[in-house]
Amino acid sequence: PREVVKKLTEINTAKGLFFILSDYIMILGIIALCLTLNNPLLYIIAIPLIANRQHSLLVQMHDSSHRNISKSKTVNDFIGEFILAWPMFFRMESYRQTHNLHHSFANTNKDPDFIEERFPQSQEKLVRILLKDLSGLGVLSQFKKLKRLKKQTKNEVSMKVKLAQIIYYTLMLGTITHFGVWKEFLVFWLLPLFTWLSFILQIRSIADHSGPELQLKPHPFNTRTIVSNLFDRLFIAPHNCSYHLAHSIYPKVPAYNLKKCHQELMKVDLIKDNARLTNGFISLLKEFPKSEEDVKENKFDFYYAR
């Protein structure tokens, strides 16, 4: 109903800023705890926890690319670039262009995120891909992907933006050097960024649109929603980002309203009957063939959980 959509698409800037601030506070809190207790086991747990907070910041950067952070374009884009995207070493505006193409042409050759030969894949191969990202060995592939996406946009970066970025990163590096925290920056920011976060983004790309037959379905049923559990929210999918069917239908719904949007959509029989829902990210692998031989023989053991 129109009144429900209107309520779900209401932008609450204060709420968006609260989530952003809470993510940075949580990251600083985890770092402080590790440095205080200096326990190796705590460091191991800290890496995925921090990476998921980085993912949370990217989820909100994604919201800013849809202008869901603030009604003011200036405020929205300032937050999206300076506070959310640039700390991750890329530009929100470039992401916005490719992401808009993704929404317009999902799972087609015009979709920048779509790689035709990538699926179907076996569980064995998917595990190898994920372990490669988890170990940090997938960084080169990530850079190649960013380079490929950049070529697919016609986004010319102005001298004003280039100068702002030079000043931004100069100040960042100068601050790190001044306070002598290069070790902490490498361990608590770059290491999570290029290991667990890389793993998260890979599994999210698989979850959102990939899988046997899913890629052939018409919009909006060419996507999958993962009904996340506590483990998922802590380590993989914060801020309702796994409710991808809801986002695919209503991109103007901010992340903090996506679960409510999903619940409303499940009241519609047509959507409920055709939606691909999976309970938790661990169950995701069960939707793919077990071995390369099964891929060749088209043996797909689907797992449906509502």
Side-chain angles (χ1 to χ4, degrees):
R2 185 173 296 178
E3 63 273 13
V4 175
V5 174
K6 184 178 179 181
K7 187 175 181 180
L8 289 170
T9 53
E10 285 179 357
I11 295 173
N12 188 329
T13 304
K15 184 179 284 190
L17 288 173
F18 170 78
F19 285 128
I20 294 169
L21 182 61
S22 66
D23 285 332
Y24 277 114
I25 289 174
M26 287 178 69
I27 290 171
L28 290 173
I30 293 168
I31 293 171
L33 191 64
C34 285
L35 295 177
T36 302
L37 299 180
N38 198 27
N39 186 314
L41 182 61
L42 193 57
Y43 278 82
I44 294 171
I45 298 173
I47 298 305
L49 286 174
I50 290 174
N52 200 37
R53 288 307 97 198
Q54 292 174 326
H55 184 210
S56 177
L57 294 170
L58 288 180
V59 169
Q60 291 161 102
M61 183 281 301
H62 164 265
D63 254 12
S64 74
S65 76
H66 286 288
R67 297 198 167 95
N68 292 344
I69 295 289
S70 174
K71 293 178 182 178
S72 166
K73 181 182 181 298
T74 302
V75 173
N76 180 88
D77 288 4
F78 176 85
I79 293 170
E81 295 286 11
F82 288 87
I83 300 176
L84 299 171
W86 290 12
M88 307 289 181
F89 308 106
F90 71 97
R91 291 186 63 239
M92 184 270 293
E93 183 57 38
S94 297
Y95 172 81
R96 175 184 281 157
Q97 288 195 28
T98 58
H99 191 62
N100 285 343
L101 288 172
H102 166 71
H103 272 277
S104 300
F105 305 105
N107 285 1
T108 71
N109 290 328
K110 293 182 180 180
D111 177 2
D113 295 335
F114 179 63
I115 303 174
E116 188 173 2
E117 67 275 9
R118 188 174 178 187
F119 290 97
Q121 299 281 19
S122 67
Q123 294 178 23
E124 294 172 356
K125 193 166 184 178
L126 288 177
V127 169
R128 288 199 298 270
I129 291 170
L130 293 173
L131 288 175
K132 183 179 178 182
D133 286 301
L134 192 58
S135 67
L137 297 175
V139 172
L140 187 59
S141 300
Q142 292 287 344
F143 283 128
K144 285 181 179 178
K145 182 182 178 182
L146 288 173
K147 189 176 180 180
R148 175 175 61 83
L149 293 178
K150 189 175 181 181
K151 287 181 179 179
Q152 290 178 279
T153 64
K154 298 178 181 179
N155 184 28
E156 291 294 331
V157 182
S158 68
M159 284 303 300
K160 186 177 178 180
V161 173
K162 287 180 180 179
L163 181 61
Q165 285 187 303
I166 290 171
I167 295 171
Y168 182 94
Y169 290 118
T170 301
L171 288 173
M172 176 191 284
L173 298 178
T175 302
I176 294 169
T177 302
H178 176 75
F179 289 102
V181 290
W182 271 104
K183 180 182 176 182
E184 289 78 7
F185 178 68
L186 292 171
V187 171
F188 294 113
W189 191 256
L190 294 185
L191 183 60
L193 192 70
F194 293 117
T195 55
W196 192 270
L197 180 60
S198 186
F199 163 77
I200 290 173
L201 296 179
Q202 186 73 263
I203 201 169
R204 279 286 316 282
S205 70
I206 295 168
D208 287 350
H209 285 284
S210 301
E213 296 185 1
L214 190 65
Q215 293 168 199
L216 302 176
K217 289 191 174 184
H219 176 81
F221 303 114
N222 59 350
T223 185
R224 176 192 288 101
T225 277
I226 306 284
V227 180
S228 58
N229 52 43
L230 180 60
F231 177 86
D232 296 331
R233 294 191 291 274
L234 282 174
F235 294 103
I236 299 174
H239 291 327
N240 303 319
C241 66
S242 63
Y243 293 94
H244 200 259
L245 174 65
H247 173 67
S248 183
I249 298 174
Y250 293 113
K252 291 301 294 179
V253 173
Y256 44 78
N257 285 338
L258 275 179
K259 186 174 181 179
K260 293 179 183 176
C261 186
H262 167 77
Q263 291 167 347
E264 291 294 330
L265 286 170
M266 290 302 103
K267 296 176 184 178
V268 181
D269 289 339
L270 175 66
I271 295 176
K272 183 180 179 181
D273 293 341
N274 288 277
R276 175 73 67 83
L277 305 183
T278 300
N279 279 332
F281 279 87
I282 292 177
S283 299
L284 179 63
L285 274 179
K286 296 179 183 178
E287 296 192 10
F288 294 88
K290 291 184 178 180
S291 66
E292 291 299 302
E293 289 72 23
D294 290 338
V295 172
K296 293 175 184 177
E297 297 175 16
N298 292 321
K299 290 182 180 179
F300 304 122
D301 184 17
F302 291 110
Y303 176 89
Y304 290 102
R306 296 190 181 278

